[in-house]
Amino acid sequence: MKKEECFYLGKIVSKFSFKGEVLIKLDTDEPESYVKMESVFVDYNNNMVPFFIERSALHKSDLLRVKFEDIDSEEDADDIMKAEIYLPLSLLPKLEGNQFYYHEVIGFTIVDANFGKVGVIKGINDSTAQALFEIDRDGIEILIPMNDEFIDTIDRDTNTVHVTTPEGLIDLYL
């Protein structure tokens, strides 16, 4: 399994017991959806290694307490501390309408109601206060805020995101 074929689920943040249990900080709005997992992929030394789960339970709000098979001591748990946890993309629930996963719209074309075809989404920048579409227009980078008020429709059949941006926003980049 390659990292590109997976989505980030969370990170092992601490040990929980002397028997190798760990706490995983989940990066999700629905942590209860991930309590019954049988296995996960752990990014271990830059390899996606499958780890099988003996038992798991929610701990507080967004922490998952996990006992992995063959992780039976604090030393074993130390070895995977701070590792990132992934699941295959095929396990993501399908979204409909204007809801989308960031990875899903990479390569989609952005069309603005006033400007017309803007360009192709090459990435999503979510390191800022407002997530941004990173759009390539013939080598020029255009940034459009991923604001619900700007996004009109997501057309998965034609791989197009239709937006209505404030007048002049796109022109700032050209």
Side-chain angles (χ1 to χ4, degrees):
M1 183 69 60
K2 294 179 184 160
K3 194 183 264 189
E4 300 79 45
E5 299 168 352
C6 297
F7 67 94
Y8 174 79
L9 181 61
K11 186 174 191 171
I12 299 173
V13 291
S14 68
K15 296 179 280 189
F16 187 77
S17 73
F18 62 90
K19 294 182 180 175
E21 286 181 299
V22 295
L23 292 177
I24 300 172
K25 173 123 174 63
L26 297 176
D27 182 31
T28 177
D29 294 333
E30 299 175 1
E32 61 279 353
S33 300
Y34 298 96
V35 173
K36 302 242 185 269
M37 296 183 297
E38 295 177 10
S39 64
V40 294
F41 287 96
V42 175
D43 188 354
Y44 184 77
N45 294 331
N46 292 322
N47 291 309
M48 298 299 279
V49 180
F51 274 66
F52 295 92
I53 298 172
E54 281 182 21
R55 64 182 176 276
S56 65
L58 279 180
H59 181 77
K60 301 194 175 160
S61 59
D62 60 352
L63 293 174
L64 187 66
R65 183 172 128 195
V66 174
K67 171 64 178 85
F68 289 116
E69 289 180 10
D70 301 323
I71 303 290
D72 299 315
S73 68
E74 285 189 71
E75 293 77 25
D76 292 343
D78 279 335
D79 198 35
I80 58 170
M81 201 51 49
K82 306 297 180 211
E84 295 181 341
I85 305 296
Y86 292 85
L87 285 174
L89 287 172
S90 60
L91 295 180
L92 275 175
K94 292 283 183 226
L95 296 179
E96 296 178 357
N98 283 353
Q99 293 184 315
F100 60 90
Y101 295 109
Y102 290 175
H103 71 271
E104 179 183 7
V105 295
I106 304 297
F108 277 34
T109 300
I110 290 269
V111 177
D112 182 74
N114 302 313
F115 185 85
K117 181 180 174 189
V118 179
V120 176
I121 300 171
K122 65 177 185 180
I124 305 291
N125 181 343
D126 63 352
S127 64
T128 59
Q130 170 86 52
L132 301 166
F133 288 117
E134 296 176 340
I135 302 157
D136 177 46
R137 180 179 175 85
D138 302 323
I140 299 169
E141 182 180 64
I142 297 173
L143 302 174
I144 295 178
M146 291 174 52
N147 184 319
D148 288 342
E149 294 176 21
F150 295 172
I151 300 171
D152 298 327
T153 58
I154 310 287
D155 188 337
R156 290 173 172 83
D157 295 331
T158 61
N159 291 348
T160 307
V161 177
H162 295 272
V163 297
T164 303
T165 59
E167 191 175 325
L169 176 68
I170 295 166
D171 294 323
L172 289 172
Y173 296 93
L174 304 177

